[in-house]
């Protein structure tokens, strides 16, 4: 019920699927980030009217790089750790592990991937919210990227690139829960060969449902992380404040707007997640199917040549 392909194949298919989904949903991702970071209503129509069509893709280069790297590392580490645990248990590669085992493997994979890609994610958030804060908004893509990197180094040092990373110790449960629920969907909804190689429609629906449940569970932390990463140290103060923390951001949001404020932007996040995760899973499964088909054709040709 889980892929038995080599870690590299799973990682490559997963990263390509995630990058494809990211390109498809990026404008919605940008709007969602601005809602989360600024608590100001915005729309795609207003965005285009004010800044032009190209502004819908502010930061797409950094985000796509982060998505490719993060997904590749996640699936590679996940498949490697899972194969290790399965061998230790003496089970087949496709066997289901216990809930604690599956979540632990997914959690460790998430920590490993996010520890490396957090700087790119931080820069992406800054690029996405730059026009709202009117900082570096007039500069080109490459120069804005460089300017934001210099700004982070100047204001907060090298550690500033991992701003908000502490939230990942909980948020890394998101991909773990998503992948576990997707596997359960395959187990319950599919039978026979379809369970091992889900059709595109089931891959999309299963991925979308799994991601939606995981996002709802952890959304306040996701919101607080975006607020922390979008924040900039004021130049008008000379104190040594490190800016808002995850905890202070959660408290501030709750104090200002109550419980429901902790879920501002949830609708846009869920809609984006349905499209992104559904597409990512669908593309990943399709690539793996093509790899398997290519392998079977090659093996069949070798048998024919051997018999000849």
């Amino acid at each position: 019920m889980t892929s038995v392909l080599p870690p590299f194949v799973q990682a490559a298919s997963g990263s390509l699927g995630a990058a494809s989904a990211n390109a498809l949903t990026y404008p919605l991702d940008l709007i969602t980030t601005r809602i989360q970071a600024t608590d100001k209503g915005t729309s795609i129509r207003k965005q285009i009217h004010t800044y032009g069509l190209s502004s819908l893709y502010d930061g797409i280069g950094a985000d796509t790089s982060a998505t490719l790297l993060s997904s590749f590392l996640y699936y590679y580490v996940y498949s490697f750790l899972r194969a290790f645990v399965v061998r230790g248990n003496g089970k087949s590669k496709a066997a289901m592990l216990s809930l604690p085992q599956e979540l632990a493997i997914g959690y460790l994979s998430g920590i490993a991937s996010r520890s490396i890609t957090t700087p790119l994610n931080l820069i992406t958030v800054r690029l996405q919210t730059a026009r709202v804060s009117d900082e570096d908004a007039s500069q080109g893509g490459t120069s804005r990227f460089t300017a934001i990197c210099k700004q982070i180094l100047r204001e907060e040092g090298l550690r500033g690139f991992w701003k908000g990373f502490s939230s990942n110790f909980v948020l890394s449960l998101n991909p773990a829960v998503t992948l576990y629920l997707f596997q359960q969907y395959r187990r319950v909804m599919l039978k026979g060969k379809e369970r091992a190689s889900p059709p595109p429609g089931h891959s999309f629906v299963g991925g979308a449902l799994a991601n939606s449940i995981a996002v709802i569970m952890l959304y306040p932390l996701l919101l607080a992380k975006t607020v922390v990463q979008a924040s900039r140290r004021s130049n008008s103060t000379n104190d040594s404040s490190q800016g808002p923390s995850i905890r202070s951001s959660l408290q501030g949001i709750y104090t200002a707007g109550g419980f429901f404020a902790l879920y501002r932007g949830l609708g846009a996040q869920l809609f984006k997640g349905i499209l992104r995760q559904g597409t990512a899973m669908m593309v990943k499964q399709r690539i793996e199917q093509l790899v398997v088909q290519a392998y079977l054709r090659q093996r069949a040709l070798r048998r024919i040549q051997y018999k000849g």
Side-chain angles (χ1 to χ4, degrees), residues 132-144:
V132 175
S133 60
D134 293 325
E135 295 188 28
D136 306 317
S138 61
Q139 299 182 32
T142 303
S143 59
R144 288 176 60 211

Side-chain angles (χ1 to χ4, degrees), residues 53-103:
L53 187 62
S54 63
S55 66
L56 293 178
Y57 294 89
D58 286 348
I60 190 172
D63 196 42
T64 300
S65 298
T67 300
L68 280 168
L69 183 58
S70 177
S71 298
F72 185 90
L73 290 172
Y74 179 83
Y75 283 109
Y76 190 91
V77 174
Y78 177 87
S79 57
F80 177 83
L81 290 177
R82 193 178 193 284
F84 179 80
V85 172
V86 167
R87 283 197 302 268
N89 292 345
K91 298 180 179 180
S92 67
K93 290 184 178 180
M96 284 292 293
L97 298 177
S98 65
L99 174 60
Q101 287 177 321
E102 289 283 5
L103 291 180

Side-chain angles (χ1 to χ4, degrees), residues 191-206:
K191 296 180 180 179
K193 293 182 178 180
E194 286 190 347
R195 182 177 290 180
S197 183
H202 277 290
S203 295
F204 184 94
V205 173

Side-chain angles (χ1 to χ4, degrees), residues 36-235:
Q36 292 172 338
T38 64
D39 195 23
K40 295 178 182 178
T42 187
S43 67
I44 292 180
R45 180 180 298 179
K46 180 180 179 181
Q47 177 77 18
I48 295 174
H49 177 74
T50 307
Y51 301 112
L53 187 62
S54 63
S55 66
L56 293 178
Y57 294 89
D58 286 348
I60 190 172
D63 196 42
T64 300
S65 298
T67 300
L68 280 168
L69 183 58
S70 177
S71 298
F72 185 90
L73 290 172
Y74 179 83
Y75 283 109
Y76 190 91
V77 174
Y78 177 87
S79 57
F80 177 83
L81 290 177
R82 193 178 193 284
F84 179 80
V85 172
V86 167
R87 283 197 302 268
N89 292 345
K91 298 180 179 180
S92 67
K93 290 184 178 180
M96 284 292 293
L97 298 177
S98 65
L99 174 60
Q101 287 177 321
E102 289 283 5
L103 291 180
I105 292 171
Y107 178 77
L108 291 175
S109 303
I111 289 290
S113 64
R114 291 178 186 224
S115 65
I116 295 175
T117 59
T118 291
L120 280 173
N121 291 328
L122 172 65
I123 294 169
T124 297
V125 171
R126 294 289 183 90
L127 287 169
Q128 289 178 332
T129 57
R131 294 186 190 273
V132 175
S133 60
D134 293 325
E135 295 188 28
D136 306 317
S138 61
Q139 299 182 32
T142 303
S143 59
R144 288 176 60 211
F145 182 93
T146 303
I148 287 175
C149 289
K150 290 180 178 179
Q151 181 189 52
I152 295 171
L153 274 173
R154 183 177 63 253
E155 295 181 355
E156 302 177 71
L158 193 60
R159 289 182 59 187
F161 286 98
W162 277 267
K163 193 174 184 179
F165 179 75
S166 61
S167 64
N168 288 323
F169 288 107
V170 178
L171 288 177
S172 288
L173 286 171
N174 189 310
V177 171
T178 297
L179 193 55
Y180 176 78
L181 291 176
F182 179 69
Q183 292 173 1
Q184 292 301 316
Y185 175 88
R186 293 164 67 176
R187 182 183 182 183
V188 173
M189 300 300 295
L190 303 177
K191 296 180 180 179
K193 293 182 178 180
E194 286 190 347
R195 182 177 290 180
S197 183
H202 277 290
S203 295
F204 184 94
V205 173
L209 287 174
N211 180 258
S212 297
I213 295 172
V215 166
I216 291 173
M217 289 170 57
L218 300 169
Y219 187 77
L221 270 176
L222 181 64
L223 173 64
K225 179 184 177 183
T226 302
V227 171
V228 168
Q229 292 188 326
S231 66
R232 295 161 172 80
R233 187 181 297 182
S234 175
N235 294 325

Side-chain angles (χ1 to χ4, degrees), residues 279-291:
T279 302
M281 285 295 186
M282 184 173 64
V283 174
K284 179 180 184 296
Q285 295 295 326
R286 183 54 181 162
I287 292 175
E288 291 184 357
Q289 290 170 5
L290 292 174
V291 170

